[in-house]
mmCIF file of all heavy atoms in Angstrom:
data_model
loop_
_atom_site.group_PDB
_atom_site.id
_atom_site.type_symbol
_atom_site.label_atom_id
_atom_site.label_comp_id
_atom_site.label_asym_id
_atom_site.label_seq_id
_atom_site.Cartn_x
_atom_site.Cartn_y
_atom_site.Cartn_z
ATOM 1 N N GLU A 286 0.838 -1.193 0.000
ATOM 2 C CA GLU A 286 0.000 0.000 0.000
ATOM 3 C C GLU A 286 0.872 1.242 0.000
ATOM 4 O O GLU A 286 1.997 1.227 0.497
ATOM 5 C CB GLU A 286 -0.935 0.005 1.216
ATOM 6 C CG GLU A 286 -1.916 -1.146 1.219
ATOM 7 C CD GLU A 286 -2.983 -0.956 2.290
ATOM 8 O OE1 GLU A 286 -3.177 0.180 2.745
ATOM 9 O OE2 GLU A 286 -3.607 -1.962 2.666
ATOM 10 N N ARG A 287 0.328 2.332 -0.582
ATOM 11 C CA ARG A 287 1.052 3.590 -0.644
ATOM 12 C C ARG A 287 0.902 4.331 0.683
ATOM 13 O O ARG A 287 -0.209 4.547 1.158
ATOM 14 C CB ARG A 287 0.520 4.454 -1.792
ATOM 15 C CG ARG A 287 0.795 3.853 -3.163
ATOM 16 C CD ARG A 287 -0.006 4.551 -4.243
ATOM 17 N NE ARG A 287 0.410 5.929 -4.417
ATOM 18 C CZ ARG A 287 1.402 6.322 -5.196
ATOM 19 N NH1 ARG A 287 2.105 5.417 -5.869
ATOM 20 N NH2 ARG A 287 1.701 7.585 -5.329
ATOM 21 N N ARG A 288 2.014 4.708 1.266
ATOM 22 C CA ARG A 288 2.020 5.471 2.516
ATOM 23 C C ARG A 288 3.115 6.532 2.445
ATOM 24 O O ARG A 288 4.135 6.341 1.798
ATOM 25 C CB ARG A 288 2.299 4.562 3.724
ATOM 26 C CG ARG A 288 1.183 3.598 4.055
ATOM 27 C CD ARG A 288 -0.006 4.314 4.684
ATOM 28 N NE ARG A 288 -1.004 3.375 5.153
ATOM 29 C CZ ARG A 288 -2.005 2.915 4.438
ATOM 30 N NH1 ARG A 288 -2.108 3.289 3.162
ATOM 31 N NH2 ARG A 288 -2.893 2.075 4.954
ATOM 32 N N GLU A 289 2.878 7.655 3.132
ATOM 33 C CA GLU A 289 3.907 8.680 3.220
ATOM 34 C C GLU A 289 4.923 8.277 4.290
ATOM 35 O O GLU A 289 4.544 7.947 5.412
ATOM 36 C CB GLU A 289 3.282 10.035 3.545
ATOM 37 C CG GLU A 289 2.511 10.613 2.369
ATOM 38 C CD GLU A 289 1.993 12.001 2.655
ATOM 39 O OE1 GLU A 289 1.899 12.358 3.850
ATOM 40 O OE2 GLU A 289 1.681 12.726 1.702
ATOM 41 N N LYS A 290 6.187 8.295 3.925
ATOM 42 C CA LYS A 290 7.242 7.857 4.840
ATOM 43 C C LYS A 290 8.205 9.007 5.094
ATOM 44 O O LYS A 290 8.706 9.642 4.157
ATOM 45 C CB LYS A 290 7.989 6.666 4.224
ATOM 46 C CG LYS A 290 9.014 6.056 5.156
ATOM 47 C CD LYS A 290 9.629 4.827 4.533
ATOM 48 C CE LYS A 290 10.661 4.196 5.475
ATOM 49 N NZ LYS A 290 11.286 3.006 4.876
ATOM 50 N N SER A 291 8.440 9.301 6.388
ATOM 51 C CA SER A 291 9.343 10.381 6.770
ATOM 52 C C SER A 291 10.790 9.924 6.651
ATOM 53 O O SER A 291 11.112 8.757 6.849
ATOM 54 C CB SER A 291 9.059 10.814 8.208
ATOM 55 O OG SER A 291 7.735 11.256 8.347
ATOM 56 N N GLY A 292 11.653 10.879 6.339
ATOM 57 C CA GLY A 292 13.073 10.571 6.246
ATOM 58 C C GLY A 292 13.835 11.738 5.664
ATOM 59 O O GLY A 292 13.271 12.817 5.443
ATOM 60 N N THR A 293 15.116 11.523 5.388
ATOM 61 C CA THR A 293 15.956 12.546 4.760
ATOM 62 C C THR A 293 16.202 12.144 3.316
ATOM 63 O O THR A 293 16.720 11.054 3.052
ATOM 64 C CB THR A 293 17.295 12.691 5.515
ATOM 65 O OG1 THR A 293 17.022 13.031 6.880
ATOM 66 C CG2 THR A 293 18.146 13.788 4.894
ATOM 67 N N TYR A 294 15.812 13.028 2.392
ATOM 68 C CA TYR A 294 15.872 12.708 0.970
ATOM 69 C C TYR A 294 16.446 13.903 0.190
ATOM 70 O O TYR A 294 16.394 15.043 0.670
ATOM 71 C CB TYR A 294 14.468 12.419 0.419
ATOM 72 C CG TYR A 294 13.683 11.387 1.185
ATOM 73 C CD1 TYR A 294 12.687 11.764 2.080
ATOM 74 C CD2 TYR A 294 13.931 10.030 1.012
ATOM 75 C CE1 TYR A 294 11.948 10.818 2.782
ATOM 76 C CE2 TYR A 294 13.211 9.072 1.703
ATOM 77 C CZ TYR A 294 12.213 9.479 2.593
ATOM 78 O OH TYR A 294 11.494 8.539 3.289
ATOM 79 N N PRO A 295 16.949 13.672 -1.019
ATOM 80 C CA PRO A 295 17.298 14.797 -1.887
ATOM 81 C C PRO A 295 16.046 15.651 -2.130
ATOM 82 O O PRO A 295 14.951 15.115 -2.278
ATOM 83 C CB PRO A 295 17.759 14.119 -3.186
ATOM 84 C CG PRO A 295 18.153 12.735 -2.772
ATOM 85 C CD PRO A 295 17.255 12.366 -1.646
ATOM 86 N N LYS A 296 16.217 16.953 -2.164
ATOM 87 C CA LYS A 296 15.067 17.845 -2.229
ATOM 88 C C LYS A 296 14.164 17.542 -3.417
ATOM 89 O O LYS A 296 12.938 17.619 -3.313
ATOM 90 C CB LYS A 296 15.520 19.304 -2.276
ATOM 91 C CG LYS A 296 14.368 20.292 -2.283
ATOM 92 C CD LYS A 296 14.814 21.703 -2.025
ATOM 93 C CE LYS A 296 13.616 22.628 -1.923
ATOM 94 N NZ LYS A 296 14.004 24.000 -1.512
ATOM 95 N N TYR A 297 14.758 17.179 -4.566
ATOM 96 C CA TYR A 297 13.928 16.955 -5.743
ATOM 97 C C TYR A 297 12.952 15.805 -5.538
ATOM 98 O O TYR A 297 11.871 15.780 -6.148
ATOM 99 C CB TYR A 297 14.795 16.724 -6.996
ATOM 100 C CG TYR A 297 15.551 15.426 -7.036
ATOM 101 C CD1 TYR A 297 14.954 14.271 -7.519
ATOM 102 C CD2 TYR A 297 16.875 15.364 -6.605
ATOM 103 C CE1 TYR A 297 15.652 13.072 -7.572
ATOM 104 C CE2 TYR A 297 17.587 14.171 -6.655
ATOM 105 C CZ TYR A 297 16.970 13.028 -7.139
ATOM 106 O OH TYR A 297 17.657 11.842 -7.182
ATOM 107 N N GLU A 298 13.292 14.841 -4.657
ATOM 108 C CA GLU A 298 12.392 13.727 -4.405
ATOM 109 C C GLU A 298 11.173 14.147 -3.571
ATOM 110 O O GLU A 298 10.188 13.419 -3.515
ATOM 111 C CB GLU A 298 13.136 12.597 -3.686
ATOM 112 C CG GLU A 298 14.191 11.914 -4.540
ATOM 113 C CD GLU A 298 14.803 10.708 -3.850
ATOM 114 O OE1 GLU A 298 14.267 10.287 -2.806
ATOM 115 O OE2 GLU A 298 15.825 10.184 -4.363
ATOM 116 N N LEU A 299 11.241 15.313 -2.934
ATOM 117 C CA LEU A 299 10.151 15.787 -2.083
ATOM 118 C C LEU A 299 9.188 16.706 -2.829
ATOM 119 O O LEU A 299 8.187 17.138 -2.265
ATOM 120 C CB LEU A 299 10.729 16.535 -0.870
ATOM 121 C CG LEU A 299 11.638 15.716 0.046
ATOM 122 C CD1 LEU A 299 12.255 16.610 1.120
ATOM 123 C CD2 LEU A 299 10.878 14.560 0.689
ATOM 124 N N LEU A 300 9.488 16.998 -4.094
ATOM 125 C CA LEU A 300 8.622 17.915 -4.844
ATOM 126 C C LEU A 300 7.290 17.245 -5.172
ATOM 127 O O LEU A 300 7.241 16.152 -5.725
ATOM 128 C CB LEU A 300 9.306 18.352 -6.138
ATOM 129 C CG LEU A 300 10.586 19.184 -5.996
ATOM 130 C CD1 LEU A 300 11.038 19.669 -7.357
ATOM 131 C CD2 LEU A 300 10.396 20.356 -5.056
ATOM 132 N N THR A 301 6.212 17.932 -4.822
ATOM 133 C CA THR A 301 4.858 17.475 -5.139
ATOM 134 C C THR A 301 4.017 18.669 -5.543
ATOM 135 O O THR A 301 4.410 19.826 -5.341
ATOM 136 C CB THR A 301 4.192 16.798 -3.922
ATOM 137 O OG1 THR A 301 3.991 17.793 -2.893
ATOM 138 C CG2 THR A 301 5.041 15.661 -3.368
ATOM 139 N N SER A 302 2.853 18.383 -6.071
ATOM 140 C CA SER A 302 1.952 19.464 -6.475
ATOM 141 C C SER A 302 1.561 20.346 -5.296
ATOM 142 O O SER A 302 1.362 21.553 -5.434
ATOM 143 C CB SER A 302 0.694 18.873 -7.118
ATOM 144 O OG SER A 302 0.032 18.000 -6.210
ATOM 145 N N HIS A 303 1.451 19.748 -4.098
ATOM 146 C CA HIS A 303 1.025 20.519 -2.930
ATOM 147 C C HIS A 303 2.114 21.464 -2.440
ATOM 148 O O HIS A 303 1.832 22.435 -1.733
ATOM 149 C CB HIS A 303 0.621 19.574 -1.794
ATOM 150 C CG HIS A 303 -0.095 20.263 -0.669
ATOM 151 N ND1 HIS A 303 -1.408 20.673 -0.767
ATOM 152 C CD2 HIS A 303 0.326 20.653 0.557
ATOM 153 C CE1 HIS A 303 -1.767 21.268 0.364
ATOM 154 N NE2 HIS A 303 -0.730 21.275 1.183
ATOM 155 N N LEU A 304 3.354 21.200 -2.830
ATOM 156 C CA LEU A 304 4.469 22.017 -2.373
ATOM 157 C C LEU A 304 4.325 23.470 -2.808
ATOM 158 O O LEU A 304 4.764 24.387 -2.106
ATOM 159 C CB LEU A 304 5.776 21.442 -2.928
ATOM 160 C CG LEU A 304 7.076 21.960 -2.319
ATOM 161 C CD1 LEU A 304 7.179 21.548 -0.863
ATOM 162 C CD2 LEU A 304 8.267 21.428 -3.101
ATOM 163 N N SER A 305 3.688 23.710 -3.954
ATOM 164 C CA SER A 305 3.540 25.086 -4.431
ATOM 165 C C SER A 305 2.626 25.894 -3.514
ATOM 166 O O SER A 305 2.901 27.062 -3.213
ATOM 167 C CB SER A 305 3.017 25.110 -5.875
ATOM 168 O OG SER A 305 1.834 24.360 -6.001
ATOM 169 N N ARG A 306 1.533 25.295 -3.033
ATOM 170 C CA ARG A 306 0.633 25.980 -2.097
ATOM 171 C C ARG A 306 1.343 26.319 -0.791
ATOM 172 O O ARG A 306 1.272 27.443 -0.293
ATOM 173 C CB ARG A 306 -0.568 25.074 -1.770
ATOM 174 C CG ARG A 306 -1.824 25.384 -2.509
ATOM 175 C CD ARG A 306 -2.868 24.328 -2.237
ATOM 176 N NE ARG A 306 -3.372 24.364 -0.873
ATOM 177 C CZ ARG A 306 -4.262 25.241 -0.414
ATOM 178 N NH1 ARG A 306 -4.705 26.205 -1.199
ATOM 179 N NH2 ARG A 306 -4.714 25.169 0.820
ATOM 180 N N ARG A 307 2.046 25.338 -0.246
ATOM 181 C CA ARG A 307 2.743 25.563 1.015
ATOM 182 C C ARG A 307 3.868 26.588 0.843
ATOM 183 O O ARG A 307 4.117 27.417 1.725
ATOM 184 C CB ARG A 307 3.309 24.245 1.540
ATOM 185 C CG ARG A 307 3.764 24.319 2.996
ATOM 186 C CD ARG A 307 4.426 23.020 3.424
ATOM 187 N NE ARG A 307 3.523 21.891 3.407
ATOM 188 C CZ ARG A 307 2.705 21.570 4.403
ATOM 189 N NH1 ARG A 307 2.663 22.318 5.480
ATOM 190 N NH2 ARG A 307 1.930 20.503 4.311
ATOM 191 N N SER A 308 4.554 26.541 -0.302
ATOM 192 C CA SER A 308 5.633 27.495 -0.558
ATOM 193 C C SER A 308 5.088 28.915 -0.645
ATOM 194 O O SER A 308 5.680 29.848 -0.091
ATOM 195 C CB SER A 308 6.368 27.127 -1.855
ATOM 196 O OG SER A 308 7.004 25.876 -1.742
ATOM 197 N N PHE A 309 3.976 29.082 -1.341
ATOM 198 C CA PHE A 309 3.365 30.412 -1.444
ATOM 199 C C PHE A 309 3.066 30.967 -0.057
ATOM 200 O O PHE A 309 3.469 32.085 0.290
ATOM 201 C CB PHE A 309 2.071 30.348 -2.257
ATOM 202 C CG PHE A 309 1.252 31.609 -2.163
ATOM 203 C CD1 PHE A 309 1.536 32.697 -2.964
ATOM 204 C CD2 PHE A 309 0.217 31.708 -1.242
ATOM 205 C CE1 PHE A 309 0.802 33.872 -2.849
ATOM 206 C CE2 PHE A 309 -0.533 32.868 -1.124
ATOM 207 C CZ PHE A 309 -0.231 33.960 -1.934
ATOM 208 N N ALA A 310 2.362 30.180 0.752
ATOM 209 C CA ALA A 310 1.954 30.656 2.077
ATOM 210 C C ALA A 310 3.166 30.946 2.955
ATOM 211 O O ALA A 310 3.222 31.980 3.646
ATOM 212 C CB ALA A 310 1.051 29.627 2.747
ATOM 213 N N THR A 311 4.161 30.051 2.935
ATOM 214 C CA THR A 311 5.342 30.226 3.773
ATOM 215 C C THR A 311 6.164 31.436 3.346
ATOM 216 O O THR A 311 6.603 32.237 4.180
ATOM 217 C CB THR A 311 6.218 28.958 3.741
ATOM 218 O OG1 THR A 311 5.433 27.830 4.129
ATOM 219 C CG2 THR A 311 7.409 29.087 4.669
ATOM 220 N N ASN A 312 6.377 31.586 2.045
ATOM 221 C CA ASN A 312 7.162 32.722 1.555
ATOM 222 C C ASN A 312 6.492 34.051 1.869
ATOM 223 O O ASN A 312 7.130 34.988 2.356
ATOM 224 C CB ASN A 312 7.384 32.598 0.043
ATOM 225 C CG ASN A 312 8.378 31.513 -0.319
ATOM 226 O OD1 ASN A 312 9.306 31.239 0.427
ATOM 227 N ND2 ASN A 312 8.178 30.881 -1.460
ATOM 228 N N MET A 313 5.203 34.136 1.594
ATOM 229 C CA MET A 313 4.501 35.399 1.825
ATOM 230 C C MET A 313 4.452 35.763 3.305
ATOM 231 O O MET A 313 4.558 36.922 3.687
ATOM 232 C CB MET A 313 3.070 35.315 1.273
ATOM 233 C CG MET A 313 2.965 35.140 -0.225
ATOM 234 S SD MET A 313 3.734 36.481 -1.184
ATOM 235 C CE MET A 313 5.296 35.710 -1.661
ATOM 236 N N TYR A 314 4.331 34.734 4.172
ATOM 237 C CA TYR A 314 4.239 34.971 5.613
ATOM 238 C C TYR A 314 5.604 35.288 6.213
ATOM 239 O O TYR A 314 5.770 36.279 6.924
ATOM 240 C CB TYR A 314 3.644 33.735 6.291
ATOM 241 C CG TYR A 314 3.320 33.911 7.760
ATOM 242 C CD1 TYR A 314 2.069 34.352 8.172
ATOM 243 C CD2 TYR A 314 4.266 33.621 8.737
ATOM 244 C CE1 TYR A 314 1.768 34.502 9.527
ATOM 245 C CE2 TYR A 314 3.978 33.762 10.088
ATOM 246 C CZ TYR A 314 2.729 34.202 10.470
ATOM 247 O OH TYR A 314 2.441 34.352 11.803
ATOM 248 N N SER A 315 6.589 34.438 5.928
ATOM 249 C CA SER A 315 7.892 34.595 6.571
ATOM 250 C C SER A 315 8.619 35.846 6.099
ATOM 251 O O SER A 315 9.391 36.443 6.853
ATOM 252 C CB SER A 315 8.765 33.358 6.309
ATOM 253 O OG SER A 315 9.011 33.204 4.929
ATOM 254 N N LEU A 316 8.379 36.259 4.854
ATOM 255 C CA LEU A 316 9.025 37.466 4.326
ATOM 256 C C LEU A 316 8.208 38.728 4.604
ATOM 257 O O LEU A 316 8.629 39.830 4.245
ATOM 258 C CB LEU A 316 9.263 37.321 2.818
ATOM 259 C CG LEU A 316 10.202 36.173 2.411
ATOM 260 C CD1 LEU A 316 10.242 36.032 0.898
ATOM 261 C CD2 LEU A 316 11.603 36.398 2.966
ATOM 262 N N GLY A 317 7.041 38.561 5.234
ATOM 263 C CA GLY A 317 6.202 39.713 5.554
ATOM 264 C C GLY A 317 5.644 40.409 4.328
ATOM 265 O O GLY A 317 5.351 41.608 4.360
ATOM 266 N N MET A 318 5.459 39.665 3.227
ATOM 267 C CA MET A 318 5.009 40.276 1.983
ATOM 268 C C MET A 318 3.488 40.400 1.916
ATOM 269 O O MET A 318 2.964 41.158 1.108
ATOM 270 C CB MET A 318 5.529 39.463 0.789
ATOM 271 C CG MET A 318 7.042 39.352 0.768
ATOM 272 S SD MET A 318 7.683 38.332 -0.581
ATOM 273 C CE MET A 318 7.502 39.451 -1.962
ATOM 274 N N MET A 319 2.774 39.597 2.726
ATOM 275 C CA MET A 319 1.311 39.649 2.778
ATOM 276 C C MET A 319 0.875 39.486 4.212
ATOM 277 O O MET A 319 1.552 38.821 5.000
ATOM 278 C CB MET A 319 0.677 38.517 1.960
ATOM 279 C CG MET A 319 0.525 38.749 0.512
ATOM 280 S SD MET A 319 -0.459 37.405 -0.222
ATOM 281 C CE MET A 319 -0.192 37.765 -1.942
ATOM 282 N N SER A 320 -0.264 40.061 4.546
ATOM 283 C CA SER A 320 -0.829 39.824 5.868
ATOM 284 C C SER A 320 -1.357 38.395 5.937
ATOM 285 O O SER A 320 -1.699 37.789 4.911
ATOM 286 C CB SER A 320 -1.960 40.808 6.156
ATOM 287 O OG SER A 320 -3.081 40.524 5.332
ATOM 288 N N SER A 321 -1.424 37.851 7.134
ATOM 289 C CA SER A 321 -1.906 36.474 7.289
ATOM 290 C C SER A 321 -3.354 36.346 6.825
ATOM 291 O O SER A 321 -3.750 35.308 6.288
ATOM 292 C CB SER A 321 -1.771 36.012 8.736
ATOM 293 O OG SER A 321 -2.491 36.872 9.601
ATOM 294 N N SER A 322 -4.150 37.384 7.012
ATOM 295 C CA SER A 322 -5.555 37.310 6.584
ATOM 296 C C SER A 322 -5.658 37.240 5.068
ATOM 297 O O SER A 322 -6.526 36.539 4.529
ATOM 298 C CB SER A 322 -6.345 38.512 7.119
ATOM 299 O OG SER A 322 -5.806 39.724 6.641
ATOM 300 N N ASP A 323 -4.768 37.951 4.355
ATOM 301 C CA ASP A 323 -4.775 37.888 2.888
ATOM 302 C C ASP A 323 -4.298 36.521 2.401
ATOM 303 O O ASP A 323 -4.823 35.981 1.420
ATOM 304 C CB ASP A 323 -3.891 38.993 2.307
ATOM 305 C CG ASP A 323 -4.505 40.378 2.449
ATOM 306 O OD1 ASP A 323 -5.734 40.451 2.699
ATOM 307 O OD2 ASP A 323 -3.774 41.367 2.332
ATOM 308 N N ILE A 324 -3.286 35.970 3.087
ATOM 309 C CA ILE A 324 -2.808 34.630 2.716
ATOM 310 C C ILE A 324 -3.921 33.616 2.905
ATOM 311 O O ILE A 324 -4.168 32.754 2.054
ATOM 312 C CB ILE A 324 -1.581 34.235 3.563
ATOM 313 C CG1 ILE A 324 -0.414 35.175 3.265
ATOM 314 C CG2 ILE A 324 -1.171 32.787 3.281
ATOM 315 C CD1 ILE A 324 0.772 35.006 4.200
ATOM 316 N N ARG A 325 -4.636 33.709 4.041
ATOM 317 C CA ARG A 325 -5.715 32.766 4.325
ATOM 318 C C ARG A 325 -6.842 32.884 3.312
ATOM 319 O O ARG A 325 -7.508 31.898 2.997
ATOM 320 C CB ARG A 325 -6.248 32.974 5.742
ATOM 321 C CG ARG A 325 -5.285 32.495 6.814
ATOM 322 C CD ARG A 325 -5.926 32.384 8.175
ATOM 323 N NE ARG A 325 -6.220 33.669 8.758
ATOM 324 C CZ ARG A 325 -7.438 34.143 8.970
ATOM 325 N NH1 ARG A 325 -8.502 33.439 8.629
ATOM 326 N NH2 ARG A 325 -7.611 35.322 9.524
ATOM 327 N N LYS A 326 -7.044 34.075 2.777
ATOM 328 C CA LYS A 326 -8.086 34.247 1.757
ATOM 329 C C LYS A 326 -7.766 33.406 0.525
ATOM 330 O O LYS A 326 -8.659 32.851 -0.111
ATOM 331 C CB LYS A 326 -8.192 35.730 1.366
ATOM 332 C CG LYS A 326 -9.216 36.007 0.274
ATOM 333 C CD LYS A 326 -9.304 37.481 -0.029
ATOM 334 C CE LYS A 326 -10.177 37.758 -1.250
ATOM 335 N NZ LYS A 326 -11.547 37.274 -1.119
ATOM 336 N N MET A 327 -6.479 33.284 0.213
ATOM 337 C CA MET A 327 -6.082 32.507 -0.954
ATOM 338 C C MET A 327 -5.965 31.015 -0.654
ATOM 339 O O MET A 327 -6.292 30.187 -1.496
ATOM 340 C CB MET A 327 -4.763 33.046 -1.513
ATOM 341 C CG MET A 327 -4.904 34.442 -2.116
ATOM 342 S SD MET A 327 -3.393 35.033 -2.925
ATOM 343 C CE MET A 327 -3.236 33.888 -4.297
ATOM 344 N N THR A 328 -5.481 30.674 0.543
ATOM 345 C CA THR A 328 -5.274 29.257 0.850
ATOM 346 C C THR A 328 -6.528 28.582 1.394
ATOM 347 O O THR A 328 -6.643 27.353 1.347
ATOM 348 C CB THR A 328 -4.142 29.068 1.879
ATOM 349 O OG1 THR A 328 -4.508 29.729 3.109
ATOM 350 C CG2 THR A 328 -2.830 29.655 1.353
ATOM 351 N N GLY A 329 -7.453 29.384 1.958
ATOM 352 C CA GLY A 329 -8.682 28.815 2.493
ATOM 353 C C GLY A 329 -8.597 28.394 3.943
ATOM 354 O O GLY A 329 -9.554 27.810 4.462
ATOM 355 N N HIS A 330 -7.478 28.673 4.626
ATOM 356 C CA HIS A 330 -7.399 28.345 6.055
ATOM 357 C C HIS A 330 -8.342 29.251 6.839
ATOM 358 O O HIS A 330 -8.348 30.468 6.659
ATOM 359 C CB HIS A 330 -5.960 28.512 6.566
ATOM 360 C CG HIS A 330 -5.026 27.480 6.040
ATOM 361 N ND1 HIS A 330 -4.260 27.669 4.897
ATOM 362 C CD2 HIS A 330 -4.733 26.225 6.476
ATOM 363 C CE1 HIS A 330 -3.540 26.584 4.668
ATOM 364 N NE2 HIS A 330 -3.815 25.695 5.604
ATOM 365 N N LYS A 331 -9.128 28.639 7.718
ATOM 366 C CA LYS A 331 -10.196 29.383 8.387
ATOM 367 C C LYS A 331 -9.699 30.223 9.559
ATOM 368 O O LYS A 331 -10.337 31.199 9.928
ATOM 369 C CB LYS A 331 -11.277 28.410 8.886
ATOM 370 C CG LYS A 331 -11.926 27.595 7.759
ATOM 371 C CD LYS A 331 -12.547 28.485 6.709
ATOM 372 C CE LYS A 331 -13.217 27.659 5.612
ATOM 373 N NZ LYS A 331 -13.712 28.511 4.495
ATOM 374 N N THR A 332 -8.589 29.814 10.180
ATOM 375 C CA THR A 332 -8.095 30.536 11.346
ATOM 376 C C THR A 332 -6.601 30.796 11.218
ATOM 377 O O THR A 332 -5.890 30.126 10.457
ATOM 378 C CB THR A 332 -8.330 29.751 12.652
ATOM 379 O OG1 THR A 332 -7.503 28.566 12.642
ATOM 380 C CG2 THR A 332 -9.800 29.358 12.798
ATOM 381 N N GLU A 333 -6.131 31.773 11.996
ATOM 382 C CA GLU A 333 -4.704 32.098 12.033
ATOM 383 C C GLU A 333 -3.891 30.897 12.517
ATOM 384 O O GLU A 333 -2.807 30.610 12.007
ATOM 385 C CB GLU A 333 -4.502 33.278 12.990
ATOM 386 C CG GLU A 333 -3.075 33.766 13.090
ATOM 387 C CD GLU A 333 -2.754 34.847 12.071
ATOM 388 O OE1 GLU A 333 -3.663 35.283 11.352
ATOM 389 O OE2 GLU A 333 -1.577 35.217 11.990
#
């Protein structure tokens, strides 16, 4: 069966379609480029 397995891997092996969503939110938040409420409007997270 397919399961997600934690470990240390070359970065390219960790690339997935979901990585783009998480990268957007993390970059905008950590760099202070967007307010958290604006980020949540795009990602759909209901709370801070």
Side-chain angles (χ1 to χ4, degrees):
E286 297 191 20
R287 294 167 66 86
R288 291 287 187 270
E289 288 185 340
K290 186 175 180 181
S291 301
T293 302
Y294 308 102
K296 183 167 185 173
Y297 70 86
E298 292 186 11
L299 299 174
L300 295 187
T301 66
S302 58
H303 192 75
L304 193 65
S305 54
R306 260 173 69 78
R307 194 185 296 275
S308 296
F309 168 83
T311 304
N312 287 328
M313 296 300 101
Y314 188 91
S315 62
L316 298 174
M318 302 177 76
M319 276 188 191
S320 69
S321 58
S322 60
D323 288 343
I324 296 171
R325 288 194 289 112
K326 178 178 172 59
M327 292 186 66
T328 62
H330 290 93
K331 300 302 181 186
T332 67
E333 182 90 5

